[in-house]
């Protein structure tokens, strides 16, 4: 790779895709640039523990020869979360049970991405079976935050978030049940978008029940900017026969919606959704970002739907999900599962139909409350996470502002409450703590209104104080850059 290509990793994905389609840079050069950055960064963060450089170079050459589609992405290297199979590439699901698993077929979304010019260069790290919002596992170890390598990247798409923040790839895929696209978006200073169920088709091609048909888990895009995230959402969206919920492509692209960059008329803001305590500094940073909109003439009101039943409802439905996905793992491989996964499966196996029914009824009441909320407001805003990035060796947050949590999921309430609504939501970087750690604002739009969400988020991103903050070079706890 020529020296004048050494800074390609700094490009936004949209600009990189433009250059690829204009033949100003080749797919092979982009793969080589990503590989060089991965080699430099990985020893410090462990975000992409499995790489497939030769497979990526082969794909790049086929695009250059016209033997594979250039598509929307033009040959742009991307990362795929280690929960989603990529044909011929080690895919472990973060579990010792699948340490040596190499799938023969790719996930639906991987096929979509490759058909649109995305080149898979690596698998991003995830906690075991995506369970938990701190990225560590017994197969690949822990992933460290490039902003401060003593801090967590969150999860479960933590490897994707860190890889983007450190400039290893331009786009990354993640998945989200209780906040796994949004929480690492916040902790790493990037954009993580949870789409409406069906916006990104989900297949059933994994070797275990983790791909069961449901309406809580979704796949989605992560990127450094809103426009980049919208570009990747265009790539991943569309109808697929394997997913009966899958939605047709909109008449206008999501990327065009982001470029429109239109402020909302009226928004509701809550510091805590009325359900969990939030670190004061985090809440203040988010509120300051919302006030920037108010200064632009947007009506801001303290308001929210009724989330009072959301914690119990989600905990029950999540437990049922884990029992459905992993009961066989508990029976056959209990000694190889982390304790949090065992707890979640056993909780699911212990609940009865009446309890699940009550959770579904409570969820229905929340959906009705959200519909009423959006009769008055364009968006709902709140912090993405109730704390800034914490110690990388902490398994989960146990206490905030004097309130103790009784399990490893409770502290994710700000995101999992919104999961229950079925509405699209994203985390937008809006500032740094006094310690220089990123904070994200969670923005939710009405169901299937990803275009509205992206347009408004792009507008806020363009205001002073909310500009793109990545890529960054990994730093240690004393702020020293770790690269040579």
């Amino acid at each position: 790779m020529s020296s004048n290509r050494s800074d390609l990793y700094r490009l936004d994905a949209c600009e990189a895709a433009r250059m690829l389609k204009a033949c100003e840079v080749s797919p092979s050069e982009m793969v080589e640039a990503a590989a060089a950055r991965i080699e430099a960064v990985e020893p410090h963060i462990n975000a992409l523990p499995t790489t497939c450089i030769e497979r990526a170079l082969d794909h790049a050459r086929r695009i250059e020869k016209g033997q594979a589609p250039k598509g929307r992405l033009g040959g742009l290297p991307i990362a795929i979360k280690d929960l989603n199979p990529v044909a011929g590439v080690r895919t472990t699901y973060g579990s010792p049970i699948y340490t040596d698993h190499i799938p023969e077929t790719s996930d639906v979304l991987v096929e979509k991405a490759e058909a649109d010019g995305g080149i898979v260069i690596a698998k991003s790290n995830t906690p075991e079976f995506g369970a938990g919002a701190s990225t560590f596992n017994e197969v690949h170890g822990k992933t460290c935050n490039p902003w401060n390598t003593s801090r967590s990247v969150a999860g479960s798409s933590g490897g994707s978030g860190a890889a983007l923040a450190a400039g290893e790839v331009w786009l990354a895929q993640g998945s989200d049940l209780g906040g796994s696209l949004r929480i690492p978006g916040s902790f790493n200073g990037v954009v993580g978008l949870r789409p409406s169920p069906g916006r990104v088709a989900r297949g059933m091609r994994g070797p275990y029940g983790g791909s069961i048909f449901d309406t809580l888990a979704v796949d989605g895009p992560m990127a450094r900017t809103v426009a980049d995230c919208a570009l990747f959402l265009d790539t991943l969206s569309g109808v697929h026969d394997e997913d009966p919920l899958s939605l047709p492509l909109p008449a206008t692209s999501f990327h065009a919606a982001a470029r429109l960059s239109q402020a909302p008329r009226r928004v509701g803001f809550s510091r805590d959704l009325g359900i969990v305590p939030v670190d004061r500094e985090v809440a203040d940073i988010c509120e300051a970002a919302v006030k920037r909109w108010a200064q632009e003439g947007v009506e801001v009101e303290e308001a929210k739907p009724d989330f009072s039943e959301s914690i119990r409802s989600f905990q029950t439905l999540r437990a049922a999900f884990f029992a459905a996905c992993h009961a066989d793992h508990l029976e056959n491989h209990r000694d190889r599962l982390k304790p949090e996964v065992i707890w979640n499966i056993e909780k699911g196996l212990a609940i009865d139909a009446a309890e699940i029914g009550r959770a579904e009824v409570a969820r229905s009441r929340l959906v009705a409350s959200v519909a009423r909320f959006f009769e008055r407001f364009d968006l709902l805003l709140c912090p993405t996470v109730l704390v800034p990035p914490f110690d990388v060796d902490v398994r989960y947050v146990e206490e905030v502002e004097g309130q103790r949590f009784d399990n490893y999921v409770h502290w994710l309430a700000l995101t999992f409450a919104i999961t229950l609504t079925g509405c699209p939501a994203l985390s937008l970087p809006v500032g740094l703590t006094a310690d220089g750690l990123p904070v994200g604002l969670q923005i939710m739009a009405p169901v299937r209104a990803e275009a509205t969400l992206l347009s408004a988020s792009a507008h806020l991103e363009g205001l002073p104080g909310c500009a793109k903050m990545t890529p960054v070079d990994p730093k240690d706890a004393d702020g020293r850059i770790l690269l040579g």
Side-chain angles (χ1 to χ4, degrees):
M1 182 176 63
S2 59
S3 59
N4 64 343
R5 298 302 199 191
S6 63
D7 60 351
L8 286 173
Y9 74 93
R10 296 187 178 277
L11 292 173
D12 290 347
C14 291
E15 175 62 10
R18 184 202 65 77
M19 291 175 64
L20 282 161
K21 287 181 281 187
C23 297
E24 295 174 17
V25 62
S26 71
S28 293
E29 287 176 308
M30 295 301 288
V31 171
E32 290 167 357
R37 183 66 177 175
I38 290 168
E39 182 179 7
V41 166
E42 271 304 289
H44 306 290
I45 65 172
N46 188 37
L48 303 176
T50 299
T51 58
C52 46
I53 308 298
E54 288 306 315
R55 182 183 188 275
L57 283 170
D58 178 68
H59 187 179
R61 296 183 192 109
R62 286 187 288 112
I63 291 175
E64 291 160 6
K65 294 175 181 177
Q67 297 170 350
K70 206 167 191 179
R72 188 180 280 105
L73 301 183
L76 192 65
I78 63 174
I80 298 295
K81 188 175 179 178
D82 202 24
L83 296 185
N84 299 76
V86 175
V89 179
R90 184 187 184 200
T91 301
T92 73
Y93 311 96
S95 174
I97 300 168
Y98 295 100
T99 296
D100 300 315
H101 175 64
I102 299 178
E104 295 181 0
T105 58
S106 292
D107 190 273
V108 165
L109 68 83
V110 174
E111 292 180 347
K112 277 182 171 290
E114 292 182 329
D116 206 19
I119 296 177
V120 178
I121 195 169
K123 303 300 298 296
S124 62
N125 206 17
T126 180
E128 186 174 30
F129 299 126
S134 193
T135 297
F136 62 89
N137 60 62
E138 295 300 319
V139 182
H140 298 303
K142 64 188 177 185
T143 298
C144 300
N145 196 314
W147 289 86
N148 178 336
T149 52
S150 73
R151 302 300 178 102
S152 170
V153 295
S156 62
S157 307
S160 289
L164 287 165
E168 295 182 288
V169 288
W170 293 264
L171 298 171
Q173 167 267 340
S175 56
D176 189 306
L177 176 64
S180 292
L181 282 156
R182 295 160 285 165
I183 298 169
S186 179
F187 270 32
N188 291 283
V190 299
V191 180
L193 189 155
R194 175 191 166 87
S196 304
R199 182 63 71 193
V200 175
R202 300 182 70 237
M204 309 291 165
R205 300 183 185 180
Y208 69 98
S211 296
I212 66 169
F213 177 69
D214 80 308
T215 61
L216 291 176
V218 301
D219 291 298
M222 300 182 74
R224 297 179 204 153
T225 71
V226 173
D228 287 357
C229 202
L231 176 72
F232 202 22
L233 183 60
D234 282 325
T235 287
L236 298 178
S237 296
V239 171
H240 196 286
D241 289 344
E242 290 188 30
D243 185 352
L245 290 179
S246 58
L247 300 168
L249 292 170
T252 302
S253 73
F254 294 117
H255 183 233
R259 291 182 63 187
L260 182 61
S261 184
Q262 184 171 342
R265 177 186 56 84
R266 190 182 193 193
V267 301
F269 173 70
S270 174
R271 289 171 67 95
D272 58 13
L273 296 184
I275 52 176
V276 283
V278 174
D279 176 89
R280 185 178 298 274
E281 185 179 21
V282 167
D284 287 346
I285 289 170
C286 290
E287 188 167 0
V290 176
K291 286 179 178 177
R292 294 184 193 116
W293 248 344
Q295 293 166 359
E296 297 290 314
V298 177
E299 293 182 48
V300 178
E301 182 178 328
E302 287 192 22
K304 62 185 184 303
D306 181 6
F307 287 102
S308 60
E309 298 179 285
S310 60
I311 292 177
R312 176 172 293 192
S313 175
F314 181 82
Q315 295 271 24
T316 297
L317 296 176
R318 176 190 171 93
F321 176 91
F322 265 72
C325 292
H326 302 296
D328 287 348
H329 288 140
L330 184 67
E331 180 178 353
N332 299 315
H333 304 284
R334 184 187 183 98
D335 60 331
R336 306 179 80 180
L337 296 172
K338 71 177 182 179
E340 293 87 353
V341 171
I342 292 173
W343 171 82
N344 234 157
I345 299 167
E346 290 184 334
K347 177 179 172 66
L349 293 172
I351 58 180
D352 59 18
E355 188 174 351
I356 294 173
R358 286 191 293 270
E360 292 287 10
V361 169
R363 183 185 185 190
S364 299
R365 282 194 287 263
L366 172 58
V367 169
S369 178
V370 167
R372 292 192 297 270
F373 175 87
F374 283 126
E375 289 174 359
R376 299 179 56 222
F377 299 96
D378 300 320
L379 301 168
L380 172 66
L381 314 173
C382 70
T384 305
V385 195
L386 44 77
V387 291
F390 49 81
D391 190 317
V392 69
D393 292 317
V394 170
R395 296 177 76 90
Y396 61 91
V397 176
E398 297 187 43
E399 182 177 340
V400 173
E401 300 286 329
Q403 178 176 327
R404 289 194 63 79
F405 304 127
D406 59 2
N407 60 67
Y408 82 112
V409 179
H410 193 159
W411 72 280
L412 314 178
L414 293 176
T415 47
F416 73 56
I418 284 175
T419 289
L420 291 170
T421 70
C423 294
L426 64 73
S427 181
L428 179 73
V430 291
L432 300 174
T433 67
D435 292 333
L437 299 170
V439 171
L441 176 71
Q442 185 171 206
I443 307 175
M444 182 178 91
V447 66
R448 296 184 298 278
E450 282 85 356
T452 298
L453 175 64
L454 289 161
S455 182
S457 298
H459 184 272
L460 183 56
E461 180 185 53
L463 298 181
C466 295
K468 184 188 77 165
M469 300 185 290
T470 54
V472 296
D473 290 331
K475 297 187 291 289
D476 66 15
D478 295 319
R480 293 172 297 204
I481 294 176
L482 297 171
L483 303 186

